[in-house]
Amino acid sequence: MAKFGLSQPVRRIEDPRLLKGAGRYTDDIAAPGQVHGYVLRSPHAHARLLSIDTAAALALPGVHAVLTGQDWLAEGLGEIPCAIPLKNRDGSPRANTPRYGLAVERVRHVGDPVAFIVADSLAIARDAAEAVLVDYDVLPACTDLATAMEPGQPQVWEGAPNNTCFDWETGDRAATEALFAQAAHVTRLTVVNNRIVVASMEGRAALAEYDATSGKFTLHAGTQGSWLVKNLLANAVFHLPPEKFRVVTPDVGGGFGMKLYLYAEYALCCWAARKLGRPVKWTSERMEAFQSDTQGRANITLGELALDAEGKFLALRTRNIADMGGYLSTFAPFIPTGAGTKVLASVYGFRAIYANVLGVLTHTVPVDAYRGAGRPESNYLVERLIDAAAQETGIDRIALRRRNMVPPSAMPHRTPVGQNYDSGDFATVLDAALAKADWAGFAARRAASEAAGRRRGIGMAYYLEATGGDASERAELRFAADGMVEVLVGTQSTGQGHETAYAMITSHQLGIPIEKIRVVQGDSDAIPTGGGTGGARSLYSEGTALLATAATVIEKGKQAAGEALEAAPADIEFTAGRFSIAGTDRGIGILELAMTQRARAARGEAATQLDAAEVAAIPAHTFPNGCHIAEVEVDPETGHVSASRYIVVDDVGHALNPLIVRGQVHGGVAQGYGQALMERTAYDPETGQLLSASLNDYALPRAADLPEIEVELMEIPCETNPLGVKGAGEAGAVGSPPALINAVIDALRAHGVTHIDMPATPETIWRALLPGSGATAAPSRTLTPIPA
């Protein structure tokens, strides 16, 4: 029987089930009598819907329904909502972009849902979709974020003039401007954070059932938290009490933020199931996912860094143009504003910060949170600015960072954007990374590459993450009839290893063998509340709730052990899974006690049960941080980049399971590598067609593209939660893009290249190296300073 302590590299207990094909994903689930849904999507980026003729489709054998946006309105259904209210700089509310399950009057991106066909089989539904006659009045489209606000551009929404849906600010503008006025040097840089297709391994899917007797829906869907989807369906779409919805999330094959939201297809399946009285199933195809899953990043940001004569950072000023796509997704306005700006100070001692964020609408797929959710974008800007400032001032880039880092003695530290850092030793982490990467020996390696006709560069980035999410979390422990201990949690694993982590905590606190623990998640009926997974919150939030619940189990166990052993509860001690009478050898194991009490209760006897549930307050979020160092070689004849070495030294607080932490960092670095060097989401500027609409056209990194990723963990415990953890789920994706781009620029600097935008593809680099090329000596996009 395995009993694991914390801080051990325990192999994931869920992996044998998943690797042997025993996982149960949404598309694996079938309901008796189910029919199949298919979404007819707009082939145009912008068009009026003049008419939709469904008669021919409805006449086909096996077709049960062809639903349109007008049907949606006639049914009295509400919007697929944006859940984030936001005030503009002038105090007015942000613009609204009303979105229904199916387009009404107008489509606003390629892939916008136009009709929902339900048939006996998917093949019949596809054939019926081809029989639907849609009369489109095609209109000019706006897909370029850099020009979307210019006069004369096609308007996405009438209520958002110049395609600007919000103009938001944070920080102390007056103090920032005063510090800029006295600065000895100001570095300005505009950077592009390229749009990302999430491309999770498992696509989205939904299976909805409706019980006419109870009036209750059951929806199976791959989400990152059943409760958000449940509440939005009930309150915003169907205008019903939440208890009329049960949302069940089975195994999920990757989420990365994209599966947090209420999507139209989930509501369409529920609606059709109620209309038809039969279960309705929909599964996304890969190209469909490219056109309908929320996408990530898509920012153009001007950063201005003010320094004094000694190279100390005075202030930071930013102006971010954030692409929202054709509609405001569930959390979209929050990502570049509240989420992204809170880490602008990073690990540095800025005296003032001011940030202006403009949300811009385009005729493209909506943009929302993607691994890191605004924090990678801000860290990228800051670390690129610091490298540029080092070049302009002649100060060594390492020395410039070290000079400005907040020291451990300053903790707790409050930043100019209102964040309270509880712990951190940034300079020590930096030194460890430099030593591990042999930074001092780089010159010799560069000379060897030069001799072989290649250009070698080294780049670093120090990142700081800020976790997020709900301010409370729930856990429940049940001693089941089969002898297992059920751990019911309010978060949702999408591949991170939650089952292992939660089983480790439970085993450690209660002395229960790990194989006797069963983690239950994702069922909104079985688990009444939950904050879901996002913002790297799961371990410290759910872990805190588990500690509180385990403590309650122990207290109840002392009462129960007193009953079983005929002793006063005050005389009962608990150690290593066993309750005993103090000073004696009389005792009983926790599992035996639970079964004994269950049996006594079954006989009608008064018997204290050990089951317990607690909701824990999460008063503070955490600040993972670390240093990434990338070493790359560039082939000047082809522009191809290969990373010869990649080093990460992370402070994620207490590493509960170092093996899982390293795996999370590896995955994040891989996604950051793809963004930095490979992934380009391209829209045709004339038609608005998504040109990179499949894996044939969109370059995801493969194992052969990646270097070995060396991860070292420095444990500086968090002071604001009892586990001391800081979160590791997003960290790899935060530090990798700036480290890689800084390395590429370092390799090309001898050729006069001082800036290059992501993705730094071979073509981009090759063009930058052409004789006389000045295209990448300056940013490819420039923004004017912040207006008064």
Side-chain angles (χ1 to χ4, degrees), residues 46-51 105-107 135-139:
H46 189 203
R48 292 188 190 91
L49 292 171
L50 301 180
S51 66
E105 296 182 351
R106 191 175 292 221
V107 293
D135 188 4
Y136 294 99
D137 177 18
V138 180
L139 302 170

Side-chain angles (χ1 to χ4, degrees), residues 115 188 237 245 308 351 526 617 627 706:
R188 293 182 176 87
V237 177
F245 287 84
D308 68 13
R351 290 165 55 184
C627 184
L706 299 169

Side-chain angles (χ1 to χ4, degrees), residues 14-29 202 250-252 499:
E14 54 267 67
D15 283 354
R17 174 176 65 87
L18 299 174
L19 292 172
K20 292 176 181 178
R24 189 169 185 259
Y25 299 89
T26 303
D27 192 52
D28 295 324
I29 301 169
E202 178 211 18
D251 288 322
V252 180
E499 291 179 43

Side-chain angles (χ1 to χ4, degrees), residues 242-268:
E243 56 267 24
K244 293 296 184 182
F245 287 84
R246 177 192 181 196
V247 177
V248 181
T249 301
D251 288 322
V252 180
F256 312 114
M258 179 270 290
K259 290 180 181 171
L260 275 166
Y261 319 117
L262 172 61
Y263 283 91
E265 296 86 0
Y266 306 163
L268 290 170

